[in-house]
């Protein structure tokens, strides 16, 4: 029932915010193209063979399982005391990083999409889909660069460089998207002045007094902390889990 209501709300949101939707589709198209190109170049360089049908089936099973784990971790979100209440942190990118390191950047996009879709099915939306779209974009901004570097040459050094690049891209793009797309759209959807959102940040962090300082002292720290935590955990657990997945995939 909640899913049906969510789909009705989605239809209404699409009609009311057509410009945002069109621009969003363009962003997603760029993400998919970048992921596909990066994966293709890596496969070509490394001479990776086409997967057997059984491998493709098992690959889809693993991607679905990792996406489901990501949804569970997404539900375990919690706020940080120095950030506004609608900014929360979770570790849902961890299984997606594991899957993306194993299968490549396109798998990262698929898992991010499945994670958000499954979460909508379970929880619905309280942000008129802006929060869910933001989660998808910011997640892709972290995982796609990280997996592109590692997938090109699978070494521990590349894993570190990839995760570091992902953190930087995620932080910079997160600030840009929040300042010029997500927060303005959020304020329009809820008929709030942008200053009201800034005030929510000021209430918990005195350094925030404008949209610019909001993204610097709220958006940036959120993404840095989340990406750093996920990166450390991924470096600790990827190898043992990857050996298990390789055995399963044959």
């Amino acid at each position: 029932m909640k899913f049906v209501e969510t789909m009705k709300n989605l239809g209404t949101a699409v009609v009311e915010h057509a410009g945002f939707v069109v621009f969003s589709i363009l962003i997603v198209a760029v993400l998919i193209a970048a992921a596909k190109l990066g994966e293709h170049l890596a496969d070509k360089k490394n001479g990776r063979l086409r997967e057997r049908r059984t491998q493709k089936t098992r690959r889809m099973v693993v991607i679905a399982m990792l996406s489901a784990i990501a949804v569970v971790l997404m539900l375990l979100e919690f706020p940080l005391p120095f950030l506004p209440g609608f900014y929360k942190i979770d570790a849902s990118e961890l299984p997606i990083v594991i899957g993306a390191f194993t299968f490549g950047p396109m798998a990262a996009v698929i898992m991010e999409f499945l994670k958000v879709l499954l979460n909508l099915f379970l929880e619905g939306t309280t942000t008129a889909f802006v929060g869910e779209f933001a989660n998808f974009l910011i997640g892709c901004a972290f995982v796609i660069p990280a997996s592109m570097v590692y997938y090109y040459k699978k070494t521990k050094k590349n894993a570190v460089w990839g995760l570091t690049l992902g953190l930087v891209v995620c932080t910079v793009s997160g600030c840009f998207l929040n300042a010029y797309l997500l927060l303005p759209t959020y304020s329009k959807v809820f008929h709030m002045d942008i200053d009201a959102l800034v005030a929510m940040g000021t209430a918990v962090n005195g350094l925030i007094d404008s949209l610019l300082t909001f993204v610097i002292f709220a958006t940036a720290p959120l993404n840095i902390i989340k990406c750093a935590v996920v990166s450390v955990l991924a470096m600790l657990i990827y190898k043992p889990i990857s050996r298990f997945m390789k055995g399963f995939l044959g």
Side-chain angles (χ1 to χ4, degrees):
M1 194 68 182
K2 180 177 286 189
F3 182 72
V4 174
E5 183 180 349
T6 297
M7 291 300 100
K8 289 181 179 178
N9 292 337
L10 177 60
T12 302
V14 168
V15 173
E16 292 181 352
H17 306 284
F20 172 74
V21 172
V22 171
F23 189 63
S24 301
I25 291 172
L26 291 175
I27 293 176
V28 173
V30 170
L31 288 173
I32 293 173
K36 189 67 177 177
L37 178 61
E39 190 168 309
H40 173 74
L41 292 175
D43 284 340
K44 186 176 181 180
K45 176 185 180 296
N46 293 289
R48 294 189 177 103
L49 300 175
R50 291 181 178 272
E51 294 175 309
R52 297 190 301 271
R53 183 172 296 179
T54 54
Q55 289 178 315
K56 288 183 178 180
T57 301
R58 291 174 181 176
R59 171 189 170 119
M60 288 188 292
V61 170
V62 173
I63 287 175
M65 289 174 58
L66 291 172
S67 301
I69 294 171
V71 173
V72 174
L73 293 175
M74 192 176 180
L75 296 175
L76 303 177
E77 62 182 4
F78 58 91
L80 295 174
F82 55 90
L83 299 179
F86 57 87
Y87 269 4
K88 297 180 180 180
I89 191 171
D90 62 67
S92 61
E93 258 60 63
L94 179 58
I96 296 177
V97 168
I98 301 300
F101 273 15
T102 304
F103 301 120
M106 273 306 297
V109 177
I110 292 169
M111 287 184 286
E112 287 288 350
F113 176 76
L114 289 175
K115 178 191 73 174
V116 172
L117 184 65
L118 290 170
N119 183 259
L120 280 171
F121 182 82
L122 293 172
E123 296 269 283
T125 180
T126 58
T127 62
F129 303 97
V130 177
E132 288 74 23
F133 182 65
N135 189 286
F136 173 79
L137 284 185
I138 304 304
C140 285
F142 171 54
V143 182
I144 290 176
S147 60
M148 285 177 71
V149 173
Y150 181 75
Y151 194 71
Y152 191 75
K153 187 176 182 181
K154 295 188 176 184
T155 64
K156 186 175 182 179
K157 182 179 179 180
N158 271 18
V160 174
W161 279 113
L163 290 166
T164 302
L165 177 63
L167 185 152
V168 172
V169 173
C170 177
T171 302
V172 173
S173 60
C175 289
F176 178 83
L177 288 169
N178 272 274
Y180 294 103
L181 179 66
L182 299 171
L183 289 175
T185 302
Y186 191 88
S187 67
K188 289 179 182 178
V189 167
F190 288 96
H191 307 290
M192 296 173 61
D193 190 87
I194 197 72
D195 290 337
L197 291 175
V198 172
M200 294 174 69
T202 306
V204 294
N205 187 338
L207 295 172
I208 298 174
D209 58 9
S210 65
L211 183 58
L212 176 62
T213 54
F214 187 99
V215 297
I216 292 174
F217 296 115
T219 304
L222 174 72
N223 291 324
I224 290 172
I225 293 170
K226 180 174 181 177
C227 292
V229 170
V230 168
S231 296
V232 171
L233 292 175
M235 291 299 297
L236 291 173
I237 69 173
Y238 173 68
K239 277 301 179 183
I241 292 178
S242 67
R243 284 194 289 267
F244 168 77
M245 288 196 295
K246 285 177 182 177
F248 175 76
L249 293 168

